[in-house]
Amino acid sequence: MIVPPAYLQVRLANGPQDRCAAERLRYQVFVSELGGDGSLVDHKSGLERDRFDAFVDHLILVDIRRDPKEMNHVVGVYRLLNQAGASQAGQFYSETEYDLSVLRQSNRPLLELGRSCIHPDYRGGMALFILWNGLAKYIAENRIEILFGVASFHGIDPKIYRPHFAYLYQKHLTPENLYVKVRSDNPLKMNTNTPVKFDILAVMRTMPSLVKAYIRAGGYVGDGAFIDQQFNTTDICLVMDTKRLSARHSALYSIETTEP
């Protein structure tokens, strides 16, 4: 059993200090680091936000050694949008890019995961696993069966990631009962008429860590990629049936927490 540092705690955001700190971390990662933007991004205050934030839960990883008054205590975040929140918002965020009809018609409890990020100083350690542990508890408590959300490749030049997309399409495409497809008048196809050769080891070494983690745990990718000009990313849709999680990968979520 893995025991995380006592100073790192995971919980739902509670109040404006937590929410602002989460949006400040998102700004640092998605805007300052990756060059994204958006109509509701507050550059003056350094907050990344959009219209969906009013309807979500923010699962946050907190370093209790940091002062909440400084709005820097949140060092990891997952934005969680359930079906009730999506109804209030009018749609899931992913539906701006993907057709989720098959998932909606499944009559299974859905949860959209988004805006996942870790502070640079906490990457490569236990932060992501601790955040996943909190996510697993949220999923169990709310009896969620299907997880989904967009994941991003940095940049908007599709040629760079052609081998990655070919691999994902050939090996991890969503099955019929979970099939999602990109919405676009000019979709970026993940498969091409000309076969794309790829080195699996090279592809996996340069795969975004979030994508790598999900496919290793039994996740799938939707059909087609979406170029997000505002965020300077090329997006794919990840889909996970929680029943597919193997005992080995489920164990990754089971870490022992300790009180400070």
Side-chain angles (χ1 to χ4, degrees):
M1 188 74 71
I2 303 171
V3 181
Y7 58 80
L8 290 179
Q9 298 180 358
V10 63
R11 58 178 171 81
L12 292 179
N14 180 24
Q17 284 186 336
D18 283 350
R19 290 192 294 272
C20 285
E23 291 171 356
R24 180 164 292 180
L25 175 62
R26 285 164 43 181
Y27 187 95
Q28 180 179 352
V29 174
F30 297 118
V31 180
S32 299
E33 185 176 338
L34 299 178
D37 202 353
S39 59
L40 295 182
V41 171
D42 185 342
H43 293 286
K44 184 177 180 180
S45 299
L47 303 175
E48 192 279 303
R49 51 173 54 144
D50 65 20
R51 73 176 186 86
F52 291 91
D53 283 309
F55 310 103
V56 305
D57 284 331
H58 271 104
L59 183 69
I60 57 174
L61 181 65
V62 174
D63 186 335
I64 62 173
R65 300 171 299 179
R66 296 181 173 223
D67 187 354
K69 294 179 181 178
E70 299 295 326
M71 303 293 185
N72 66 355
H73 60 295
V74 174
V75 298
V77 64
Y78 250 117
R79 189 171 80 169
L80 312 177
L81 182 58
N82 59 29
Q83 286 163 291
S87 295
Q88 291 178 291
Q91 63 179 159
F92 286 104
Y93 173 87
S94 300
E95 287 179 295
T96 63
E97 301 183 7
Y98 284 83
D99 181 353
L100 305 180
S101 299
V102 171
L103 301 187
R104 281 188 170 277
Q105 293 165 8
S106 70
N107 293 318
R108 299 176 67 190
L110 309 176
L111 181 68
E112 180 181 66
L113 311 180
R115 296 299 200 273
S116 171
C117 58
I118 299 289
H119 188 286
D121 293 346
Y122 296 79
R123 295 173 191 165
M126 294 186 62
L128 186 58
F129 289 102
I130 298 170
L131 197 57
W132 280 351
N133 182 241
L135 177 60
K137 291 179 179 178
Y138 184 98
I139 291 168
E141 289 171 359
N142 292 277
R143 299 182 180 180
I144 302 299
E145 294 187 14
I146 298 176
L147 310 173
F148 65 93
V150 296
S152 300
F153 290 76
H154 184 51
I156 57 176
D157 182 354
K159 296 189 294 295
I160 296 175
Y161 301 114
R162 190 168 291 162
H164 301 73
F165 295 153
Y167 165 74
L168 291 171
Y169 183 89
Q170 293 177 28
K171 304 294 185 181
H172 300 284
L173 185 66
T174 51
E176 186 176 351
N177 66 318
L178 297 173
Y179 183 76
V180 300
K181 186 174 183 179
V182 68
R183 292 183 187 273
S184 176
D185 294 332
N186 185 27
L188 177 58
K189 294 182 178 180
M190 300 177 79
N191 63 319
T192 61
N193 293 329
T194 303
V196 176
K197 295 182 180 180
F198 53 82
D199 180 331
I200 293 181
L201 292 179
V203 164
M204 292 302 289
R205 278 196 301 269
T206 53
M207 189 78 73
S209 58
L210 183 64
V211 178
K212 190 186 304 183
Y214 274 82
I215 61 175
R216 282 178 171 171
Y220 301 103
V221 298
D223 191 352
F226 181 92
I227 295 179
D228 188 334
Q229 299 284 350
Q230 277 195 326
F231 265 85
N232 189 36
T233 59
T234 302
D235 298 341
I236 63 172
C237 189
L238 296 172
V239 182
M240 168 74 76
D241 186 335
T242 60
K243 293 181 179 179
R244 273 180 56 87
L245 278 172
S246 65
R248 172 176 174 269
H249 287 96
S250 294
L252 292 177
Y253 295 96
S254 301
I255 60 178
E256 182 178 309
T257 57
T258 59
E259 294 299 326

